[in-house]
Amino acid sequence: MKQKDGLSIGELSKQSGVNIETIRYYEKIGVMPAPDRSASGYRVYGADHLKRLSFVRRSRQLGFSLDEIRGLLRLVDGHAYTCAQVRELTLDHLAEIRRKIADLKRLERVMAEMAAQCSGDWAPECAVIDALFDTRPPAVEPSGRQPPMPTATSVMRRR
Amino acid sequence: MKQKDGLSIGELSKQSGVNIETIRYYEKIGVMPAPDRSASGYRVYGADHLKRLSFVRRSRQLGFSLDEIRGLLRLVDGHAYTCAQVRELTLDHLAEIRRKIADLKRLERVMAEMAAQCSGDWAPECAVIDALFDTRPPAVEPSGRQPPMPTATSVMRRR
DNA sequence: TCTTGACCCTGTAGCGGCTACAGGCCCTAG
DNA sequence: CTAGGGCCTGTAGCCGCTACAGGGTCAAGA
């Protein structure tokens, strides 16, 4: 029953580096097209699916949101994109990345200053805590509203 | 019925700069203690609540997760923290921020290179799209698993 | 005194981008 | 014929909020 280039979802997952559950999720939200099914209902993918999924993965790694990726794919699918359109999306995204870097650098400076106040000895009063309890408007004012700020804990959980 | 220092949730919100809904959320998840209630069931806050909420707000702005903030507050509440403990949390967090900056700088470089390839003229083939379709492992390998990557769309929605 | 409107209450559902089940079916090797 | 791996659907959870719906309360003005 195996057709040429017919990949199971597991094979597609391995070749693309995208989680099986994520592939199904992409299908559900319309980022990936629904593939053919085998007689028993298994998804069967072709080379085009692999190509598209790689596109999605790479775009995600570059920080594009799924919504932006949908936009890019719409352009590509319609063969109706101009280089200028794509360039604009790219530059928008680049600006966004630079804004985030600037925000994080401000954070870095404040945190480093706080840590520097800290002797490291035991002490009942701590400069960091004092600084955090300081109710004055903090030195770090993000350039926009701050993004969800993806939590150092996600990393801490990881270790 | 107004007791001295008795703040309504709306007043607390204004003075702390934290959204009303967010204050109630903090109470629900145990970051803020449940305050007294007026006869009619309204929350009544005191100066200590304002202080604590400011602490939370400031810590959030510095990128601490609510889980980390809970940790800090536990130390503070127990009066059992050593400066060294706090310092360690701070330095962990600082390292995390620096990691994110490094990741974003890699992104910035790749995106800038892609955009530079782009003439901006109309063209049926586009360097950016080509680069995204490139299935080779991308030049940008985040140092850990990449965080949720809080989407440029949240910004685009904003405008 | 009554009415208006601002405030407050609880509870639930939604966002993005997955991940992790539960409870099943299918397929192949031993 | 059985064990195990894969696959299927559907739902619930993660974080840190935000936005309702559908009520109760309170103070100022007519």
Side-chain angles (χ1 to χ4, degrees):
Chain A
M1 271 293 169
K2 190 174 258 187
Q3 52 226 77
K4 69 169 166 122
D5 270 347
L7 297 172
S8 72
I9 195 168
E11 288 161 340
L12 182 66
S13 171
K14 258 172 221 145
Q15 291 197 29
S16 65
V18 176
N19 211 322
I20 289 184
E21 318 269 20
T22 305
I23 296 173
R24 283 197 281 249
Y25 170 71
Y26 285 167
E27 182 183 328
K28 193 166 65 180
I29 63 167
V31 162
M32 288 293 291
D36 288 342
R37 298 290 183 127
S38 74
S40 55
Y42 284 22
R43 287 173 179 81
V44 179
Y45 295 96
D48 46 341
H49 288 98
L50 177 55
K51 214 177 150 206
R52 193 184 184 88
L53 188 54
S54 301
F55 180 98
V56 174
R57 181 175 118 100
R58 186 148 166 72
S59 303
R60 283 294 296 139
Q61 284 178 322
L62 292 176
F64 284 99
S65 72
L66 287 176
D67 216 49
E68 291 172 303
I69 293 172
R70 252 190 297 254
L72 285 170
L73 286 171
R74 237 191 330 267
L75 293 182
V76 173
D77 288 344
H79 296 287
Y81 61 85
T82 62
C83 199
Q85 280 179 297
V86 175
R87 182 184 158 87
E88 203 192 318
L89 286 178
T90 307
L91 289 181
D92 274 5
H93 189 58
L94 184 54
E96 177 63 11
I97 290 170
R98 290 189 168 140
R99 200 182 63 73
K100 278 183 206 156
I101 291 174
D103 282 354
L104 283 175
K105 279 193 174 164
R106 268 193 295 275
L107 279 192
E108 185 194 11
R109 189 168 44 74
V110 174
M111 293 293 298
E113 275 165 20
M114 273 175 31
Q117 298 296 312
C118 205
S119 65
D121 300 338
W122 180 89
E125 70 282 341
C126 173
V128 171
I129 297 289
D130 288 351
L132 288 175
F133 267 121
D134 191 352
T135 47
R136 286 170 314 171
V140 45
E141 279 297 352
S143 47
R145 180 109 201 77
Q146 218 165 338
M149 194 35 86
T151 74
T153 40
S154 58
V155 180
M156 299 172 80
R157 268 197 300 279
R158 216 179 297 143
R159 323 180 185 156
Chain B
M1 269 295 164
K2 190 173 256 185
Q3 54 225 79
K4 71 172 167 120
D5 270 347
L7 296 172
S8 71
I9 194 169
E11 288 161 339
L12 183 67
S13 171
K14 259 173 220 144
Q15 291 198 28
S16 66
V18 176
N19 211 322
I20 289 183
E21 318 270 20
T22 305
I23 295 173
R24 283 197 283 249
Y25 171 71
Y26 286 166
E27 181 183 329
K28 192 165 67 182
I29 64 168
V31 162
M32 287 293 289
D36 288 343
R37 299 289 184 130
S38 73
S40 56
Y42 285 20
R43 287 171 179 82
V44 179
Y45 296 95
D48 47 341
H49 288 99
L50 178 55
K51 212 177 152 205
R52 193 183 184 91
L53 187 54
S54 301
F55 180 98
V56 174
R57 180 175 120 101
R58 184 147 167 76
S59 304
R60 284 293 297 139
Q61 284 178 323
L62 292 175
F64 284 99
S65 72
L66 288 175
D67 217 49
E68 291 171 303
I69 292 171
R70 252 190 298 252
L72 285 170
L73 285 171
R74 236 192 331 266
L75 293 182
V76 173
D77 288 344
H79 297 288
Y81 60 87
T82 62
C83 198
Q85 280 178 295
V86 175
R87 183 186 158 87
E88 203 192 319
L89 286 178
T90 308
L91 288 181
D92 273 7
H93 190 58
L94 184 54
E96 176 63 12
I97 289 171
R98 291 190 167 139
R99 201 183 61 73
K100 278 183 204 155
I101 290 174
D103 282 354
L104 283 175
K105 281 194 174 163
R106 268 193 295 275
L107 279 192
E108 184 193 13
R109 190 169 43 72
V110 174
M111 293 292 298
E113 276 164 19
M114 273 175 32
Q117 298 297 310
C118 204
S119 64
D121 300 338
W122 180 89
E125 69 283 337
C126 172
V128 171
I129 297 289
D130 289 352
L132 288 175
F133 266 122
D134 191 352
T135 47
R136 287 170 313 172
V140 45
E141 280 297 352
S143 47
R145 180 106 202 80
Q146 219 165 341
M149 195 34 87
T151 74
T153 41
S154 58
V155 179
M156 299 174 79
R157 267 195 301 278
R158 213 179 301 142
R159 323 180 186 154

